[in-house]
Amino acid sequence: MLNKLLVILLLSGLVSIQAKSQSLQEVYYQNVVTKVLDKITGKRATADVVLDFAKDLIGVPYRYASGSPSKGFDCSGFVTYVFRNFGFKVPRSSHEYARAGKPVKLADAKPGDVILFTGTNSRVRRIGHVGIITSVSGGEVEFIHSSSGREKGVTITSLSEGYYKRRLMKVVSLL
């Protein structure tokens, strides 16, 4: 009986050591993969690559307080999802983007810059909506965002539409 108990304790100890060893190996390899991916994505994070990724999400529905392509995006959930995919440490809420990156004048804005707007009430001058500039041509600015408006999801919109132009607050560069 004592021998059986000793064998059982010994085996359970070996299994525990094996599980801890396997767990440490998994953590080690996960860290190695993360470091490699960080290096790769850091080199790949050009405006074109970021925007191509964002455009692949066109049509994903709007969903309040969500940052998931399978469930839907709110505006900041979309922008955060896109930039975090490339290893950027970015805020989750739209108003926090005001302090992220480097401020840029609209006249100097480039594709890949983040564009900030008021919420739906343009008279309340507080950031409440965010998107990513997709193109700047001849003074025309277009941006991709997750809209709760008539589009109800990820779409590209022109800033020349009066609705968004009235709401414009700021542009910041993260790239």
Side-chain angles (χ1 to χ4, degrees):
M1 177 81 166
L2 185 58
N3 285 342
K4 286 184 181 177
L5 183 59
L6 188 58
V7 169
I8 291 172
L9 286 173
L10 202 74
L11 285 174
S12 68
L14 286 172
V15 167
S16 174
I17 289 170
Q18 174 66 23
K20 285 182 182 177
S21 172
Q22 191 173 21
S23 167
L24 290 174
Q25 284 177 330
E26 290 172 2
V27 169
Y28 172 76
Y29 287 116
Q30 186 176 18
N31 286 338
V32 168
V33 168
T34 300
K35 286 178 184 176
V36 169
L37 286 175
D38 284 348
K39 287 182 181 179
I40 291 170
T41 57
K43 292 178 184 172
R44 288 183 18 203
T46 64
D48 289 339
V49 173
V50 169
L51 290 171
D52 286 345
F53 180 79
K55 288 175 184 176
D56 284 343
L57 298 167
I58 290 176
V60 172
Y62 179 86
R63 183 164 185 178
Y64 179 76
S66 179
S68 166
S70 61
K71 295 178 182 174
F73 293 111
D74 65 3
C75 64
S76 59
F78 168 70
V79 173
T80 299
Y81 179 81
V82 169
F83 280 101
R84 283 188 181 166
N85 181 70
F86 294 95
F88 288 88
K89 289 180 175 30
V90 291
R92 172 57 182 92
S93 67
S94 56
H95 69 275
E96 291 173 334
Y97 275 91
R99 293 184 305 274
K102 183 179 92 176
V104 176
K105 293 179 183 176
L106 183 60
D108 299 327
K110 298 183 301 286
D113 288 345
V114 177
I115 189 165
L116 308 168
F117 302 93
T118 67
T120 53
N121 183 350
S122 63
R123 283 179 263 141
V124 177
R125 301 305 290 172
R126 186 174 52 229
I127 294 169
H129 189 66
V130 62
I132 304 169
I133 295 176
T134 56
S135 68
V136 179
S137 177
E140 283 294 312
V141 175
E142 290 186 336
F143 61 100
I144 188 168
H145 61 126
S146 186
S147 172
S148 62
R150 74 183 116 113
E151 294 87 3
K152 294 276 190 232
V154 178
T155 187
I156 295 178
T157 304
S158 173
L159 184 60
S160 65
E161 291 182 24
Y163 179 68
Y164 285 103
K165 197 162 192 137
R166 284 190 308 271
R167 294 173 52 196
L168 179 64
M169 294 283 291
K170 184 176 186 177
V171 177
V172 295
S173 179
L174 302 176
L175 296 174

